[in-house]
Amino acid sequence: MSTARVWQPARALAQRRSFSTTPRALDNYAFIGLGRMGYQMARNLQSKLPPGDTIRLYDINRSAAEKLVEEMKTQQAGGAAPEVSTSVSDAAKEADVVISCLPEPQHVRSTYEVLLKDIADLPPRPQPRLFIDSSTIDPHTSSTVCQLVEDKLPGQGHFVDAPMSGGVVGATAGTLTFMLGSDKSLVGRLEPILLRMGKRVLHCGPQTAGLAAKLANNLLLGIQNIGTAEAMLLGVKLGLDPKVLADVINASTGKCWASEVNNPVPGVVPTAPASRGYEGGFGIELMLKDMKLAQDAARRIDLQQTMATKALDLYERASKDAECKGRDFSVVYQVFDKTNGQGP
């Protein structure tokens, strides 16, 4: 039995690591999905792994993987050896840890169906493989993939959900918060890996619990954003200076992230997307996706939602507005303003 590496606190991960004297565990990594989030997460992971480790990268857009590998080789001193893989199976075949960050539930399911089919008959790794999915998908699909891993790799693989919060800025800075759904016994192996890409890991419970927490949080965020936009517009129409109104809200019980950090009124918070034409930030299409996932999860447990249903309808219609497409979800303020606060 191999001796696992000793976990160090998060602050020490980049500086020190203990090595096994028997066949090494957790030395080979695969990262699948190099979109805006995955690209930065893989970059941070590679830079904080020690020389001698390997990280194989795959994206359907091969040029993204090639670009990242080139950046890793030219900009990083040390770190794991990066390689471009030709397929998901090529990336995963020798991996002790597979990390995926994919756009939609169907992408996650199809990816794991393919790679599990191809690696199922390979010799076992020194420890059971870890499959860490950081995609924001519905719990039902995640549970289905988890069962697929258990069926194809009995006793030799663990699938966990670890969606994250912090956006592209957090992914770039390595300050993401991961919401982990896994058996408690796996946290000791998982936490050091995730802390190479973020600053906090919240173990939410068993598999799918991380996704449940992420969807509940984003559902609340979506509703808060709409409420903040309507409240700000009401104050502006009644003659209030929006900065003064924001100060009042943020010193009172109405304070929330949407009012304090991501205020939807241009000029109120200089660093907010609203102050740069709603560019950057969390795209309205992504919020729409998360609202739909939350609604689907609620539907599967026969949970009726009132505010969520109305919010989903608004985001769906706003996302079709040419002035809103591709912009931060706080752009709903503009929609309200155009229609005198009555909604689209």
Side-chain angles (χ1 to χ4, degrees):
M1 179 176 178
S2 64
T3 304
R5 290 180 179 145
V6 179
W7 174 73
Q8 298 294 330
R11 62 180 179 274
L13 284 173
Q15 289 81 29
R16 182 184 173 198
R17 191 166 98 174
S18 300
F19 287 91
S20 167
T21 55
T22 54
R24 299 195 308 164
L26 303 182
D27 285 352
N28 296 313
Y29 293 77
F31 203 107
I32 299 169
L34 302 173
R36 295 178 68 200
M37 295 291 291
Y39 192 98
Q40 302 299 337
M41 291 164 63
R43 180 180 57 79
N44 276 315
L45 176 63
Q46 180 271 339
S47 70
K48 294 173 185 177
L49 290 170
D53 282 8
T54 299
I55 181 168
R56 295 180 173 88
L57 309 173
Y58 176 78
D59 191 89
I60 193 169
N61 177 12
R62 183 179 174 87
S63 63
E66 292 173 340
K67 178 183 176 185
L68 182 54
V69 166
E70 186 62 28
E71 288 181 9
M72 290 173 171
K73 289 181 176 179
T74 58
Q75 296 178 12
Q76 297 288 352
E83 297 178 6
V84 176
S85 293
T86 57
S87 66
V88 292
S89 301
D90 180 51
K93 63 185 179 182
E94 295 181 6
D96 299 289
V97 178
V98 176
I99 301 169
S100 51
C101 188
L102 300 163
E104 301 284 349
Q106 64 268 26
H107 301 138
V108 175
R109 183 164 184 163
S110 62
T111 292
Y112 281 92
E113 285 175 344
V114 170
L115 73 84
L116 287 169
K117 178 182 177 182
D118 290 342
I119 70 173
D121 295 328
L122 294 177
R125 305 300 299 168
Q127 295 187 77
R129 298 177 192 254
L130 292 178
F131 299 94
I132 304 172
D133 184 41
S134 287
S135 315
T136 299
I137 60 173
D138 62 287
H140 177 72
T141 297
S142 185
S143 178
T144 299
V145 175
C146 181
Q147 186 61 53
L148 186 63
V149 170
E150 292 177 3
D151 292 343
K152 294 291 187 180
L153 298 174
Q156 291 298 320
H158 302 293
F159 180 87
V160 306
D161 53 297
M164 59 283 186
S165 177
V168 177
V169 172
T172 302
T175 57
L176 294 170
T177 294
F178 288 93
M179 289 151 273
L180 176 61
S182 75
D183 189 278
K184 192 174 182 179
S185 65
L186 297 174
V187 174
R189 287 184 65 193
L190 293 162
E191 194 170 41
I193 300 167
L194 296 173
L195 287 174
R196 289 184 168 98
M197 300 177 285
K199 68 174 182 179
R200 194 176 185 191
V201 177
L202 301 176
H203 183 236
C204 301
Q207 205 272 320
T208 74
L211 284 167
K214 173 67 183 287
L215 294 181
N217 178 77
N218 280 24
L219 174 66
L220 178 59
L221 174 61
I223 294 170
Q224 281 182 336
N225 177 60
I226 292 171
T228 301
E230 287 195 317
M232 291 297 298
L233 185 63
L234 173 65
V236 169
K237 295 297 184 183
L238 290 174
L240 284 171
D241 181 315
K243 289 186 177 181
V244 171
L245 176 57
D247 287 343
V248 171
I249 291 173
N250 292 329
S252 308
T253 53
K255 177 182 176 180
C256 61
W257 184 83
S259 66
E260 185 179 32
V261 177
N262 209 61
N263 195 287
V265 183
V268 171
V269 177
T271 55
S275 296
R276 53 177 188 270
Y278 298 96
E279 295 294 335
F282 190 60
I284 194 166
E285 293 84 3
L286 293 175
M287 176 52 74
L288 175 61
K289 169 201 165 185
D290 287 359
M291 297 291 286
K292 285 182 175 179
L293 290 172
Q295 281 268 280
D296 178 69
R299 203 175 296 117
R300 287 180 180 277
I301 58 172
D302 296 322
L303 178 66
Q304 294 190 6
Q305 297 183 309
T306 302
M307 294 300 295
T309 301
K310 293 182 180 294
L312 174 60
D313 180 63
L314 191 150
Y315 284 118
E316 194 145 28
R317 286 181 283 159
S319 67
K320 297 174 183 176
D321 187 321
E323 295 183 15
C324 297
K325 285 183 178 180
R327 298 182 186 275
D328 181 73
F329 73 119
S330 61
V331 75
V332 295
Y333 177 83
Q334 275 194 343
V335 176
F336 289 144
D337 196 15
K338 282 196 306 182
T339 55
N340 295 316
Q342 297 304 309

